[in-house]
Amino acid sequence: MRPDDEGGKTEDEQHLRKDPLDDRSPEDEEQFQKAGAVANDHGSAPVWPAASTGIGVGCEMEGRSSDAASCRREIFAAYVGSVVARTSLLRNANRETTTMRKVVAGMQMSIDGMIDGPDGYTDWVDSWSDTFDLLPDIDACVLGSGMYSGYEQYWSAIKRDPHAPLEFTGKVPTQEEIEYADFALGTPHYVLSKNRSEVQWANATIVRDAEEVDRLKREPGRTIYVIGGARTVSSLMDRGLIDELRLTIHPLVVGKGKALFDTIAERHYVQLDQVKSVDNGKVCLIYTVGDRG
């Protein structure tokens, strides 16, 4: 190494003492200013080249170019890339936390829209099992107070003796109904009622209004199943809380009885997503609920 005229230091030693940022071009200066602004916005600091060596720390570690200007550009690009990646992760995280659970209403009805006959019974329904294979996606059920008593008695009876004829129908439960009884007694149920003071099932909870259903929808979880009855489905639809309708249509005109949407107050557009033919002439329809823009 050849000593120079400044204190007997070698050229290499002078280079090591010199701050490489002194040689930055206007373009470099602009890049560093942008990187600093981005860093400040995200609460962190960029990784600058090491002033004592003229070699970027990132470059030195990764064996990249030792040229100060090119190294600064590499570090700037790497830093901005990391900021973009972190911002993307934050956006995805925010999207996940704001995504609400789907609320699905499932009902069985005649082709003229009745869910009960004139005597209050649905004697044309041969099975109350899951006709849509929806159960694996459900982790909460909602039903009205008027429906709860009969619902609780029906599925409790099957659970007690799955091979005995049912009082309600005189028929032995189907295998699908036995499976639904297991589901019903093992899944949280929310009974929508302003006046009811108690429920028999340990897995049932009374909720007083639709706002509590809305709160439930915003909590983490899977699909919420609205079992009925008609007034409950209509009320929740009018409040914009039903995302999907799943209707099993029976090949029967009842004439007189209780209509599914008899108490609906608002107009709602729906989109047909799926049609499925099942046994004995029944048809299963799946609709997405949403106002047409």
Side-chain angles (χ1 to χ4, degrees), residues 41 65 84 91 135 154 161 188 197 201 218 235 285 287 292:
D41 288 342
S65 170
V84 171
R91 287 175 178 170
L135 297 189
Y154 189 87
D161 190 347
S197 59
W201 280 354
R218 296 173 186 277
S235 175
L285 306 175
Y287 291 96
R292 188 166 59 189

Side-chain angles (χ1 to χ4, degrees), residues 51-103:
S52 61
T53 63
I55 301 175
V57 173
C59 296
E60 184 178 48
M61 292 178 63
E62 298 181 17
R64 297 178 181 173
S65 170
S66 60
D67 176 77
S70 63
C71 184
R72 284 194 294 270
R73 293 189 183 96
E74 290 178 17
I75 292 174
F76 169 76
Y79 177 75
V80 171
S82 69
V83 170
V84 171
R86 184 163 62 251
T87 302
S88 177
L89 288 173
L90 289 172
R91 287 175 178 170
N92 289 336
N94 290 335
R95 188 179 299 116
E96 289 176 2
T97 57
T98 57
T99 299
M100 292 190 290
R101 299 160 74 179
K102 179 188 290 186
V103 178

Side-chain angles (χ1 to χ4, degrees), residues 101-116:
R101 299 160 74 179
K102 179 188 290 186
V103 178
V104 176
M107 302 290 289
Q108 301 206 44
M109 58 193 294
S110 64
I111 63 172
D112 57 342
M114 302 298 170
I115 61 168
D116 283 333

Side-chain angles (χ1 to χ4, degrees), residues 101-103 135-140 217 219-224:
R101 299 160 74 179
K102 179 188 290 186
V103 178
L135 297 189
D137 298 327
I138 299 170
D139 62 359
K217 183 176 182 178
E219 293 178 353
R222 301 198 302 273
T223 300
I224 300 170

Side-chain angles (χ1 to χ4, degrees), residues 44-200:
S44 58
V47 180
W48 304 110
S52 61
T53 63
I55 301 175
V57 173
C59 296
E60 184 178 48
M61 292 178 63
E62 298 181 17
R64 297 178 181 173
S65 170
S66 60
D67 176 77
S70 63
C71 184
R72 284 194 294 270
R73 293 189 183 96
E74 290 178 17
I75 292 174
F76 169 76
Y79 177 75
V80 171
S82 69
V83 170
V84 171
R86 184 163 62 251
T87 302
S88 177
L89 288 173
L90 289 172
R91 287 175 178 170
N92 289 336
N94 290 335
R95 188 179 299 116
E96 289 176 2
T97 57
T98 57
T99 299
M100 292 190 290
R101 299 160 74 179
K102 179 188 290 186
V103 178
V104 176
M107 302 290 289
Q108 301 206 44
M109 58 193 294
S110 64
I111 63 172
D112 57 342
M114 302 298 170
I115 61 168
D116 283 333
D119 54 1
Y121 293 101
T122 315
D123 56 355
W124 64 84
V125 175
D126 51 5
S127 174
W128 291 101
S129 60
D130 175 29
T131 55
F132 291 97
D133 299 323
L134 185 62
L135 297 189
D137 298 327
I138 299 170
D139 62 359
C141 296
V142 174
L143 68 164
S145 179
M147 182 180 183
Y148 172 75
S149 296
Y151 178 89
E152 182 267 325
Q153 294 172 20
Y154 189 87
W155 298 112
S156 294
I158 295 177
K159 187 67 175 178
R160 283 193 302 270
D161 190 347
H163 304 295
L166 292 165
E167 178 183 353
F168 300 93
T169 64
K171 301 176 182 178
V172 175
T174 65
Q175 181 58 40
E176 290 77 12
E177 286 180 314
I178 294 172
E179 293 173 359
Y180 188 92
D182 291 335
F183 161 82
L185 275 81
T187 303
H189 280 59
Y190 297 87
V191 182
L192 190 58
S193 173
K194 293 185 180 296
N195 303 312
R196 181 180 286 271
S197 59
E198 61 180 6
V199 288
Q200 299 301 314

